Amino acid sequence: MNNIEFFVGDITKIKVDAIVNAANSSLLGGGGVDGAIHRAAGVRLLEECRRLGGCRTGEAKITNGYNLPAKYVIHTVGPIYSGAESDETDLYNCYYNSLLLAKENDVHSIAFPGISTGVYGYPKEAAAKIALRSITTWLSDNSGYDMKITIVNFSQHDYEIYQSVIGK
Ligand code: ADP
């Protein structure tokens, strides 16, 4: 867990190379963290997103960060929770593919929100387990690469869920 730290609060305030957006497949903005990122980044983010032509569930695309303190935004589309086995694979892939794309763009610090744990309804404890499994697997698969990961919990309650998962 050496390369992983936690931040409780608003992901749009963090100065890292890239923040990850829990987007929807249109990439044209929405509520929750997506809305907050678009508001903070400014309208140029939406203009760049329009040119990307959407994104599939589990995949990731990168844009500039514009008015954000972060240099880039990595947009990934989490699964809408249904209880199907594919939800787990899709969520795992969101974290893994975001990290792969980050590395391709020479990103060395990245912050993740709780992908799919808002409107998309993924149970938070299960989502935290998958996020940690994906991130730690990526770190060990890319052990020669320096990557600092921040997991952003929007509330103290979400932070406590993560800490209980780590403690188990
Ligand atoms: P999804 O549609 O993928 O579920 P949401 O934006 O609805 O995405 O929620 C994803 C997570 O992001 C939730 O845990 C929510 O509490 C959190 N969140 C919402 N706004 C912010 C923010 N400004 N910074 C960090 N996390 C946020």
Side-chain angles (χ1 to χ4, degrees):
M1 302 290 286
N2 277 342
N3 299 346
I4 305 177
E5 60 181 44
F6 289 86
F7 174 85
V8 180
D10 184 350
I11 199 167
T12 66
K13 309 284 188 220
I14 305 179
K15 187 169 164 43
V16 281
D17 292 341
I19 62 169
V20 175
N21 182 16
N24 59 51
S25 57
S26 76
L27 298 185
L28 298 180
V33 73
D34 195 4
I37 288 171
H38 275 273
R39 273 194 300 280
V43 70
R44 287 175 298 163
L45 178 61
L46 184 58
E47 284 161 13
E48 188 175 355
C49 282
R50 278 208 184 94
R51 296 196 289 272
L52 296 177
C55 182
R56 292 207 191 94
T57 304
E59 296 184 359
K61 294 198 176 175
I62 192 165
T63 64
N64 289 304
Y66 300 102
N67 299 340
L68 289 163
K71 185 171 180 204
Y72 298 113
V73 180
I74 292 176
H75 307 261
T76 188
V77 182
I80 299 171
Y81 185 73
S82 70
E85 256 176 56
S86 58
D87 292 347
E88 196 169 324
T89 313
D90 287 339
L91 189 61
Y92 182 95
N93 288 342
C94 283
Y95 286 90
Y96 204 94
N97 288 330
S98 294
L99 287 163
L100 284 179
L101 185 59
K103 184 181 174 186
E104 277 170 34
N105 287 275
D106 200 33
V107 164
H108 289 278
S109 55
I110 186 169
F112 284 98
I115 298 163
S116 285
T117 63
V119 173
Y120 280 5
Y122 214 112
K124 287 186 174 179
E125 187 176 334
K129 282 184 190 154
I130 295 162
L132 286 168
R133 187 159 53 77
S134 182
I135 289 167
T136 53
T137 304
W138 189 90
L139 285 171
S140 80
D141 291 347
N142 295 271
S143 54
Y145 188 84
D146 174 33
M147 183 73 93
K148 197 177 120 234
I149 293 166
T150 304
I151 292 174
V152 181
N153 296 126
F154 200 40
S155 69
Q156 186 64 29
H157 178 66
D158 291 356
Y159 174 75
E160 278 154 21
I161 291 172
Y162 256 94
Q163 297 316 303
S164 79
V165 166
I166 289 168
K168 276 179 194 161

